Amino acid sequence: MSVTDAPLAVEKPRTPSRPAARRNNFELYAWLFMRLSGVVLLFLVLGHLLIMLFLDGGVHKINFAFVAGRWASPFWQFWDLTMLWLAGLHGGNGLRTVINDYSRKDGTRFWLKMLLYVSVLLTVGLGSFVIFTFDPNIG
């Protein structure tokens, strides 16, 4: 029997077989969200700074009455709400990645991420509450 006549066979690997990993696209979507939200945030934040610092008279003009007049418009409420949500989620996702990369123990990783999720939820929730319930007629 020659080499060309021998049947082709692949030997079994030496390591025991593992169950197939469950495929999850969460990290792909998180990566994509970071890129898209970063681009949108770039325009929102630079537009915010341009309007607040140059077109509306600078920081010395910003007070309660200025915010009340600005938030009387649904456009500015939506602008600020979008900026708040994207910044909170973008930053939270970035910190989640840092925690996953640098925490060595599973318990530490779990509690750091729980602290992160609670803080992002409180910050974004409280900011949204303020935007939606802002009353310019306090007093």
Side-chain angles (χ1 to χ4, degrees):
M1 184 184 247
S2 68
V3 176
T4 57
D5 295 336
L8 295 175
V10 177
E11 295 181 26
K12 291 184 178 180
R14 293 180 209 169
T15 58
S17 62
R18 294 182 295 182
R22 195 174 130 245
R23 298 295 298 177
N24 189 348
N25 287 332
F26 177 76
E27 289 299 329
L28 171 68
Y29 296 136
W31 181 87
L32 191 60
F33 171 77
M34 289 297 279
R35 273 60 189 173
L36 295 175
S37 66
V39 170
V40 174
L41 274 170
L42 187 66
F43 288 108
L44 287 173
V45 171
L46 289 178
H48 176 79
L49 290 174
L50 175 74
I51 291 166
M52 298 298 280
L53 297 178
F54 298 112
L55 301 179
D56 275 343
V59 294
H60 65 276
K61 189 179 175 186
I62 300 173
N63 57 20
F64 183 84
F66 178 81
V67 174
R70 182 177 163 106
W71 279 355
S73 166
F75 174 78
W76 291 118
Q77 284 182 328
F78 179 75
W79 182 293
D80 289 346
L81 187 70
T82 304
M83 196 166 44
L84 169 72
W85 274 78
L86 284 179
L89 294 176
H90 183 92
N93 191 30
L95 281 175
R96 182 192 60 82
T97 303
V98 170
I99 290 169
N100 283 339
D101 287 346
Y102 289 104
S103 60
R104 295 178 187 259
K105 296 180 182 177
D106 288 338
T108 304
R109 183 178 306 114
F110 172 80
W111 287 112
L112 286 174
K113 286 181 7 180
M114 285 301 112
L115 183 64
L116 171 67
Y117 296 152
V118 167
S119 64
V120 167
L121 186 68
L122 284 175
T123 304
V124 172
L126 185 61
S128 301
F129 178 75
V130 168
I131 290 174
F132 284 125
T133 63
F134 183 77
D135 182 14
N137 301 319
I138 293 179

